[in-house]
């Protein structure tokens, strides 16, 4: 009985050692947050250097508005409010693309085509959101840019 204990212990220690030393991989510490006093900023900044730019302020204001609308609402309404907020977040953007609503296998979708794009060239874009958040409308900025980059239509 005591022999089996040491055999199992040896196997466990071997697996632990292999995992600790052989499967460790390279040190990724350079991607950690900067340490205080290192001279590096303690937060990620947009491209405006040490000062926040107008786009950053607009995003913060929008996100703060979403939080405020959720604060007083019953929990059962949160998902609907978040969906509406995402759909309207970029509504102020003036996009030059043409948006054509369609059903793709019964799922609401839209074709997005920027001026000059060949509608015979096709790209399927499936956004994230865990089947809960986001829609064709909330992702129009992205799909318009994809249409521009690919020179074709994006579904």
């Amino acid at each position: 009985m005591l022999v089996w204990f040491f055999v199992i212990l040896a196997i466990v220690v071997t697996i632990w050692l292999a995992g600790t030393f052989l499967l460790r991989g390279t040190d990724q510490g350079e991607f950690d947050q900067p340490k205080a006093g290192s001279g590096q900023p303690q937060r990620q900044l947009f491209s405006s250097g040490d000062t926040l730019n107008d786009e950053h302020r607009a995003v913060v204001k929008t996100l703060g508005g979403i939080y405020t609308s959720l604060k007083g609402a019953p929990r059962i309404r949160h998902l609907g409010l978040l969906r509406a907020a995402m759909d309207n977040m970029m509504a102020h953007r003036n996009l030059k693309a043409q948006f054509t609503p369609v059903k793709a296998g019964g799922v609401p979708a839209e074709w997005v085509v920027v001026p000059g794009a060949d509608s015979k060239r096709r790209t399927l874009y499936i956004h994230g959101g865990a089947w809960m958040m986001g829609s064709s409308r909330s992702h129009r900025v992205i799909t318009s840019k994809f249409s521009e980059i690919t020179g074709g239509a994006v579904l």
Side-chain angles (χ1 to χ4, degrees):
M1 186 74 154
L2 191 59
V3 172
W4 283 110
F5 171 77
F6 286 111
V7 169
I8 292 172
L9 181 63
I11 292 171
V12 169
V13 169
T14 302
I15 292 171
W16 175 79
L17 287 170
T20 301
F21 295 106
L22 299 177
L23 302 177
R24 179 179 290 168
T26 58
D27 179 19
Q28 301 294 313
E30 66 185 285
F31 299 107
D32 293 343
Q33 288 292 327
K35 306 283 187 268
S38 68
Q40 294 178 318
Q42 294 294 304
R43 59 188 168 90
Q44 182 177 351
L45 299 174
F46 283 48
S47 62
S48 59
D50 289 337
T51 59
L52 302 179
N53 61 25
D54 291 338
E55 187 173 354
H56 186 129
R57 285 188 196 89
V59 168
V60 170
K61 182 178 177 183
T62 299
L63 294 176
I66 293 169
Y67 174 74
T68 303
S69 69
L70 292 178
K71 207 163 133 179
R75 257 215 183 317
I76 196 157
R77 294 194 53 227
H78 281 202
L79 185 57
L81 290 169
L82 287 169
R83 285 178 176 165
M86 281 189 74
D87 277 353
N88 294 315
M89 192 174 294
M90 296 293 173
H92 67 283
R93 299 288 293 260
N94 184 15
L95 303 172
K96 296 178 177 117
Q98 177 183 358
F99 304 98
T100 307
V102 295
K103 293 278 185 179
V107 177
E110 67 183 11
W111 282 110
V112 180
V113 183
V114 295
D118 180 0
S119 62
K120 292 178 184 174
R121 297 180 71 186
R122 308 281 172 103
T123 300
L124 173 63
Y125 173 70
I126 302 173
H127 68 81
W131 302 104
M132 293 174 48
M133 299 293 296
S135 68
S136 301
R137 185 173 172 190
S138 66
H139 285 67
R140 282 182 171 171
V141 172
I142 295 170
T143 53
S144 295
K145 191 65 175 177
F146 283 165
S147 179
E148 181 184 319
I149 290 169
T150 62
V154 176
L155 182 70

